[in-house]
Amino acid sequence: MSSAEEKIAKRSLERQATFQKLEDKLAALTSGDPQIKMILQLKFMDLRDKLQKGELKSVDVLRAYQVKQNALKPSPVKNKQVMALPSCSAKLMALPSRSANDQTTLEISEEIRGTLHNEHTLALEVQKRLNCVTEPILEAEEIAADLDNLEDKKGLLHGIPISLKENMELKGYTSTAGLSCQLDVFLEADSALVQVLKAEGAVPFMRTNLPQTMLTIESSNPIYGEVANPYDQTRVPGGSSGGEGALIGGGGSLLGIGNDIGGSLRIPAALCGICTLKASSNRITLDGTFAPTHGQNIVIPTNGPMARDVDSLVVCLKALFAEKSFTLDPYLYPAPFRNEIYEKRRPLTIGYSFSDGHKAIAEACVRAVNLTKETLEAVGHKLVPFCPPRVGLAMELWLDALFGDNGEELLSYLTVRDWWDTNVKTRVCVHLVKFIVKFIIRNILVILSSLPSVCSSRNLKKYLSRVLQRYKTEFLKAWREANIDVLIYPAFAYTALPMKMINELISGISYTALWNLLDYPAGVVPVTKVTADDVRNTLSIGEKGEFEKNLKKATVGSEGLPACVQCVGLPYSDELVLRSMKEIEDNVKFESSI
């Protein structure tokens, strides 16, 4: 058995033990309990109000959401092979636990060795629920109890249970991004963002699942398995913040934190029918956020909130755009939340696009934009068409930036002895091959034209920066000529895909990655659901290639899934984007069926 298998096997058992410990604490509670039922039915602002007034205790709210989360765990595997494995698990449980400083290798017998891989694989194949949580945070009850004893002023998020994507660093835990090499790297401190949330009274209570490396949008990894969509468990929740999307979309959390470098907040929000905002860069701290792509700084990732409504996002961002954040991270843009922009209700000139002009789009996503356009026109805004220029070029630049070091940093985490998730292996290999071919062609052209060489990563970075700056100038010119304040745009190219189809449709990411490349704030808000007419209309679109063919295949059976829109603004107009999202939410009145 490889070192990776040993680490994953041990982590699997530790995870089971942690869930069991929480279940034992909650044994006497059920979601049918009157108080728990009442708490779970409260919207964010109503719950927050009761916590601020002391009408509810933080501990009681925490327990309600812990109970709710229990319903979203994977079901026990009903399979003879797997049901026969407890003896294997018992033997592993008897092995000595390993501390952060203990680098010894586990000795596992051949008897155990032969069953571990089957246990993991079969669990993925037959899971019936969401598998959106990697582990509960057991210290949450102590944090909530301390809040209940507070006599001082309460923070903006006092007593609110909050879920965290697994790559958000938390003291005493590991942040793996699905990589086994990170399983024995125990963290010594909370990330700056977690410190800010705790200072404002939030109660971190669950850590959520994600794809290996966080560079794909089907949330599965060899350590924690695959996440399912809350609307249809045969479909994906998106990624990389897929566990967050599924947990919040399924009602197991009111507010969570994920991150985004190409759509990792917005794609799961769109596929799970919730709200999010990818803020402008350097408005939310990245300090203490693990990612295997931090080696490049052309496309800057961002952390951000995910929630069931826009009000939740606003309160969370007021907490994050604040003095404590600026103190902990001096590189942040030191601007507090600008309430005067968010609350101002002047009529806007709003652009709209039904497509990015680069990739085909499902008809439900087109109709979502049109519904939003008509709704905003009806309440007094001016809507004008907007065509984003050269999105194909933008995607080339985005990919070149992420793999500008030939994937060296990423591959340093994915050793040949590691377990690679199937989606990751396919995508990473494809991207690297494409990049190397383009790199060679570009270098040949440079030599033939006697221009300075761009062979080195340093010179490639300079090349990309020059081309990107020209593209940003071109895009801003188009925006200014349209004279728009914000843009209504498809949230994504399609709604939730069936599992195992993402590699055929990954290029739909052009609808979200564009805004990372430009560093424009972009939020997602749900507006409608897929209808039978939407499916029929998608099936009737012309086929220019494999993308359209697979889009049609993925659309079959998608009735009832959420369809969202994306709202985009110029850099640092985050509050204006949120204001537009709130107007859409208030006037369209999307109703979740979960």
Side-chain angles (χ1 to χ4, degrees), residues 88-107:
C88 161
S89 298
K91 292 178 183 180
L92 269 174
M93 287 293 281
L95 293 169
S97 60
R98 198 160 32 162
S99 69
N101 298 319
D102 183 3
Q103 301 299 317
T104 58
T105 301
L106 288 170
E107 294 295 330

Side-chain angles (χ1 to χ4, degrees), residues 5 34 56 58 237 268 322 454 496 547 572 586:
E5 287 177 288
L56 282 175
S58 303
V454 293
F547 187 89
Y572 300 105
D586 286 347

Side-chain angles (χ1 to χ4, degrees), residues 142-161:
E142 182 181 341
I143 295 170
D146 288 344
L147 289 170
D148 286 334
N149 293 326
L150 269 184
E151 294 181 1
D152 298 335
K153 182 181 177 182
K154 296 175 180 178
L156 288 171
L157 296 168
H158 177 85
I160 300 291

